[in-house]
């Protein structure tokens, strides 16, 4: 009797949320989502100077919500404000109005976004296979991947795409025109590339080709079709056309909205131009073109490749889905699978845009953005379906009272639940939080005028806008070369800074300070050693400048080094702050 009840809890059908099996697995899904988020949330409060990696780049400027006087006439802040999606801006502005500053909001939002994504992923599972365990496993695998890769913890537009796009897939399966419309608008406002994928899915929905071994469109996969085989043709369902019209209208509206964004910082780099820039090569800031490496360029690279993530490794079983569904006699639950075509449409749309993005390189931003997120969703759902269908097949073959299916069930649960901590240990969940190690520098700069401008080649320059809340002339983290109107200025600033940094001529320093309005230099103590040039990212990217600077350094001591003692305003064991006014007086 007990085994009978457990079997019903495991594999009993159910789509009603108030049913016991559905409610149990749904609540358990939310529990695991919260459980994955809590360690990251705890880690985010471990230090006063702690921020997520991507937030240093995309969110620092939002401190203007708290104090509009911050970052005045700041090229970097203005650029990142211009490219931040409207949905993200609105969310952080609203949370700031409610009393949560942007950096604090970025620590709280991941848990909320994870819960919303879990709800919709669970719902998608029930729509494809009405077994509550399917929804649980699918959401569990997706959560494990997202928290390992650090997608949610970024709290940038990437994190928002999962709840909004999963909502789109769910409402499309439910054929809810209102739900599809709202989720499409939100997807476009938070992460536009996924809106293009969604539009592709709706367009592919007009195609109707029943497989004689599968059945007509939207029929349970695995049933024999009563219709003879016929060629591909357009759908006769008016609802498909209405959904496409809604999708196209929203897509065109969002494209129009984005049309004015970052226009002053254009044009976008072309493929031919990028191939000549060291910024896009192996040692560059945004490495894209790898010499003689098919694997890196098309598969592995986070910018150019499809970036298929097989974490946790069990998701590799998702590739077996087409095979296992071909044997309904051995796996009877396969006949309950329905509307699986939505996953195929998702893949076709994603890969089509992936190759299109390569064809018009950088016009549609990065190709990997069109496949990496889609594959993550598809692999989690497909693997969940394989596991549930196979588990049911084992029970059917051995019987409910045989130990074999129960041992298999227990082993599967242990594997699914315990694998992250057993395999990844403290690396899971991956928080990507960075701790600022120069609190003294941050406090010193915070006490300077808000219009102060800092020039530095140090790695710490990446952190100063977020922690010191002061503008930097240039930093490696913010040197993104896609919009050339922006990047040409950044590149010129960086090269001028390097030349001034190592020049023995005080007139070069004076010209640099007067040209850019620099108030402070932040120097690393070992910056004037030759070994520094083999480690600093700027020199690794620009080997020509590294060679010239090394020769210059051997000939005469730089002016900044000569005045390090007399013009130092603040110092730590690693960094020295020089006052620009003192240097011009000297």
């Amino acid at each position: 009797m007990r085994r009978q009840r457990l079997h019903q809890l495991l594999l009993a059908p159910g789509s009603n949320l108030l049913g016991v099996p559905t409610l149990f697995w749904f609540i358990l899904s939310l529990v695991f989502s919260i459980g994955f988020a809590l360690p990251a949330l705890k880690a985010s409060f471990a230090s006063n100077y702690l921020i997520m990696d991507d937030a240093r780049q995309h969110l620092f400027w939002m401190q203007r919500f708290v104090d509009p006087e911050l970052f005045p006439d700041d090229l970097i802040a203005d650029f990142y404000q211009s490219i931040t999606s409207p949905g993200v801006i609105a969310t952080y502005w609203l949370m700031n109005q409610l009393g949560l500053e942007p950096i604090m909001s970025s620590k709280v939002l991941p848990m909320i976004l994870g819960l919303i994504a879990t709800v919709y992923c669970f719902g998608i599972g029930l729509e494809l296979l009405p077994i509550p365990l399917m929804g649980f496993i699918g959401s569990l695998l997706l959560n494990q991947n997202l928290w390992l890769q650090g997608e949610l913890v970024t709290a940038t537009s990437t994190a928002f795409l999962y709840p909004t796009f999963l909502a789109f897939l769910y409402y499309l399966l439910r054929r809810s025109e209102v739900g599809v419309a709202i989720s499409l608008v939100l997807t476009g406002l938070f992460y536009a590339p996924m809106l293009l994928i969604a539009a592709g899915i709706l367009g592919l929905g007009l195609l109707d080709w029943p497989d004689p071994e599968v059945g007509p469109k939207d029929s349970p996969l695995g049933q024999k079709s009563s219709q003879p085989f016929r060629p591909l043709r357009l759908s006769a369902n008016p609802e498909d056309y209405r959904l496409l019209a809604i999708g196209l209208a929203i897509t065109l509206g969002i494209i129009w909205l984005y049309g004015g964004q970052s226009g002053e910082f254009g044009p976008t780099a072309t493929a031919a131009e990028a191939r000549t820039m060291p910024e896009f090569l192996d040692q560059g800031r945004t490495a894209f073109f790898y010499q003689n490496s098919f694997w890196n360029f098309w598969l592995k690279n986070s910018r150019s490749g499809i970036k298929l993530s097989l974490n946790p490794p069990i998701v590799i079983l998702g590739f077996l889905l087409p095979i296992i569904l071909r044997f309904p006699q051995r796996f009877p639950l396969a006949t309950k699978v329905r509307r699986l075509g939505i996953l195929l449409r998702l893949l076709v749309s994603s890969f089509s845009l992936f190759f299109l993005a390569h064809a018009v390189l950088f016009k549609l931003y990065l190709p990997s953005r069109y496949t990496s997120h889609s594959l993550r969703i598809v692999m989690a759902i497909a693997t969940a379906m394989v596991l549930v269908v196979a588990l049911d097949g084992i029970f059917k073959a051995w019987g409910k009272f045989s130990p074999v299916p129960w041992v298999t069930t227990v082993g599967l649960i242990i594997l699914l639940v315990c694998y992250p901590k057993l395999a990844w240990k403290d690396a899971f969940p991956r928080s990507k939080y960075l701790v600022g190690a120069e609190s003294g520098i941050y406090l010193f700069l915070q006490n300077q005028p808000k219009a102060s401008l800092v020039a530095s080649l140090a790695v710490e320059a990446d952190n100063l806008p977020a922690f010191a809340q002061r503008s930097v002339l240039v930093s490696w983290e913010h040197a993104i070369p896609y919009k050339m109107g922006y990047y040409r200025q950044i590149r010129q600033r960086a090269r001028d800074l390097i030349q001034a940094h190592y020049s023995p001529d005080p007139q070069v320093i004076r010209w640099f300070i007067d040209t850019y309005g620099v108030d402070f230099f932040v120097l690393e103590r070992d910056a004037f050693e030759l070994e520094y040039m083999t480690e600093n990212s700027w020199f690794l990217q620009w080997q020509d400048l590294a060679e010239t600077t090394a020769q210059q350094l051997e000939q005469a001591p730089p002016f900044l080094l000569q005045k390090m003692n007399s013009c130092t305003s603040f110092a730590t064991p690693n960094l020295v702050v020089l006052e620009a006014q003192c240097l011009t007086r000297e």
Side-chain angles (χ1 to χ4, degrees):
M1 191 67 177
R2 184 179 299 175
R3 290 189 180 184
Q4 180 74 19
R5 291 177 179 175
L6 287 174
H7 180 266
Q8 289 181 348
L9 186 64
L10 280 172
L11 296 169
S15 56
N16 183 3
L17 187 59
L18 297 180
V20 173
T22 306
L23 189 60
F24 172 79
W25 292 113
F26 178 68
I27 293 176
L28 198 60
S29 298
L30 297 179
V31 168
F32 274 95
S33 178
I34 295 173
F36 296 152
L38 284 177
L41 183 63
K42 180 181 178 181
S44 70
F45 292 98
S47 169
N48 291 330
Y49 296 107
L50 186 145
I51 193 170
M52 210 290 303
D53 186 15
D54 288 349
R56 297 183 303 167
Q57 183 183 108
H58 293 282
L59 304 182
F60 79 93
W61 66 266
M62 292 184 182
Q63 293 170 109
R64 287 171 165 174
F65 296 155
V66 182
D67 185 351
E69 296 182 3
L70 292 177
F71 310 114
D73 299 319
D74 187 324
L75 170 67
I76 296 174
D78 291 344
F79 172 72
Y80 279 96
Q81 181 172 352
S82 75
I83 65 171
T84 303
S85 60
V88 174
I89 294 175
T91 300
Y92 278 93
W93 178 86
L94 179 60
M95 296 188 74
N96 184 71
Q97 298 301 111
L98 297 175
L100 279 180
E101 296 182 359
I103 301 303
M104 181 65 69
S105 297
S106 70
K107 300 176 182 180
V108 175
L109 278 171
M111 176 182 286
I112 299 172
L113 298 175
L115 283 170
I116 299 173
T118 298
V119 170
Y120 282 110
C121 188
F122 186 91
I124 291 169
L126 285 184
E127 289 298 316
L128 296 178
L129 178 61
I131 304 294
L133 180 62
M134 162 75 183
F136 168 73
I137 295 177
S139 62
L140 178 69
L141 293 175
L142 182 61
N143 268 301
Q144 288 177 350
N145 187 287
L146 294 180
W147 285 105
L148 176 68
Q149 302 296 330
E151 297 289 351
L152 290 174
V153 80
T154 64
T156 59
S157 57
T158 304
F160 285 87
L161 80 87
Y162 288 96
T164 58
F165 188 74
L166 287 169
F168 161 74
L169 294 177
Y170 174 76
Y171 289 120
L172 182 58
L173 287 168
R174 300 282 294 182
R175 313 297 286 180
S176 169
E177 294 181 9
V178 175
V180 166
I182 294 175
S183 58
L184 276 176
V185 170
L186 292 176
T187 299
L189 291 177
F190 282 105
Y191 198 83
M194 298 306 290
L195 177 63
L196 299 180
I197 293 175
I201 291 173
L202 294 175
L204 291 169
L206 299 187
L207 301 178
D208 183 14
W209 64 93
D211 185 327
E213 295 187 7
V214 174
K217 182 179 179 182
D218 288 344
S219 69
L221 196 61
Q223 292 182 345
K224 293 286 185 179
S225 173
S226 59
Q227 304 179 22
F229 178 78
R230 56 176 172 75
L232 184 70
R233 69 180 185 183
L234 291 177
S235 170
N237 187 351
E239 191 177 36
D240 292 331
Y241 293 87
R242 289 199 302 271
L243 287 170
L244 177 60
I246 292 171
L248 289 178
I250 292 172
T251 301
L252 292 175
I254 296 295
I255 290 175
W256 175 83
L257 177 65
Y258 277 100
Q261 272 198 325
S262 68
E264 62 182 294
F265 300 106
T268 302
T270 64
E273 188 176 18
R275 289 180 184 277
T276 66
M277 297 170 60
E279 289 83 350
F280 288 95
L281 302 182
D282 291 26
Q283 298 292 338
R285 170 62 182 86
T286 53
F288 190 92
F289 301 105
Y290 286 83
Q291 297 180 353
N292 303 321
S293 180
F294 178 91
W295 174 266
N296 269 338
F297 185 77
W298 288 107
L299 300 176
K300 185 178 178 182
N301 185 270
S302 62
R303 299 180 178 93
S304 63
I306 64 173
K307 200 182 174 184
L308 171 63
S309 174
L310 296 179
N311 275 314
I314 196 174
V315 299
I316 199 171
L317 295 178
F319 289 113
L320 298 178
L321 182 60
I323 298 174
I324 201 171
L325 293 181
R326 289 295 177 181
F327 299 94
Q329 296 81 11
R330 183 165 296 180
F331 303 103
L333 199 57
T335 61
K336 302 297 182 182
V337 175
R338 55 192 183 184
R339 296 194 291 273
L340 195 59
I342 194 170
L343 297 185
L344 178 60
R345 287 152 59 189
L346 172 56
L347 290 175
V348 171
S349 179
S350 298
F351 276 93
S352 298
L353 283 163
F354 170 80
F355 289 111
L356 180 60
H358 269 288
V360 295
L361 204 52
F362 306 130
K363 298 295 184 183
L364 293 176
Y365 196 41
L366 298 176
S368 66
R369 302 303 187 258
Y370 295 97
T371 52
S372 60
H373 308 297
S374 301
L375 288 171
R376 193 170 281 128
I377 294 170
V378 169
M379 294 306 295
I381 293 174
T383 301
M385 195 173 295
V386 167
L387 291 175
V388 172
V389 171
L391 188 62
D392 177 76
I394 294 173
F395 270 101
K396 291 293 193 299
W398 291 86
K400 300 174 186 177
F401 300 100
S402 169
V404 173
W406 292 107
V407 170
T408 304
T409 301
V410 172
L412 178 61
I413 292 174
I414 292 175
L415 177 64
L416 289 173
V417 173
C418 299
Y419 180 84
K421 279 299 180 183
L422 292 176
W424 301 321
K425 297 182 173 61
D426 293 337
F428 181 85
R430 187 181 179 190
S431 61
K432 288 188 177 181
Y433 285 115
L434 300 175
V435 180
E438 298 291 345
S439 58
I441 297 285
Y442 310 146
L443 291 172
F444 170 78
L445 291 175
Q446 285 174 13
N447 289 323
Q448 307 309 313
K450 294 177 183 178
S452 297
L453 181 62
V454 180
S456 179
L457 294 177
V459 175
E460 196 59 44
D462 298 337
N463 298 329
L464 295 181
F467 295 146
Q469 299 180 8
R470 294 298 178 265
S471 300
V472 293
L473 182 70
V474 67
S475 85
W476 180 259
E477 181 71 13
H478 301 98
I480 300 298
Y482 301 114
K483 291 291 184 179
M484 296 308 298
Y486 165 75
Y487 186 67
R488 288 190 187 105
Q489 298 180 65
I490 291 295
R491 179 172 55 193
Q492 190 62 52
R493 288 180 174 195
R495 295 182 75 92
D496 287 345
L497 173 57
I498 290 172
Q499 291 172 2
H501 196 282
Y502 291 95
S503 174
D505 187 352
Q507 294 305 318
V508 173
I509 296 294
R510 179 183 293 275
W511 172 86
F512 179 79
I513 293 172
D514 291 343
T515 299
Y516 291 108
V518 171
D519 297 290
F520 297 96
F521 289 86
V522 175
L523 312 178
E524 290 180 291
R525 291 186 180 274
D526 61 350
F528 301 102
E529 300 175 5
L530 289 176
E531 291 78 6
Y532 182 79
M533 296 176 191
T534 64
E535 301 174 358
N536 186 277
S537 299
W538 293 110
F539 292 113
L540 290 174
Q541 175 176 270
W542 292 324
Q543 289 296 312
D544 60 326
L545 200 54
E547 294 173 3
T548 303
T549 304
Q551 294 172 3
Q552 188 179 44
L553 188 59
E554 291 178 336
Q555 294 171 1
F559 181 75
L560 292 182
L561 178 60
Q562 297 175 41
K563 301 304 176 183
M564 187 175 288
N565 292 329
S566 58
C567 290
T568 294
S569 298
F570 190 85
T572 70
N574 298 318
L575 300 175
V576 175
V577 180
L578 303 185
E579 186 180 358
Q581 282 189 349
C582 174
L583 293 170
T584 56
R585 287 197 303 269
E586 293 285 340

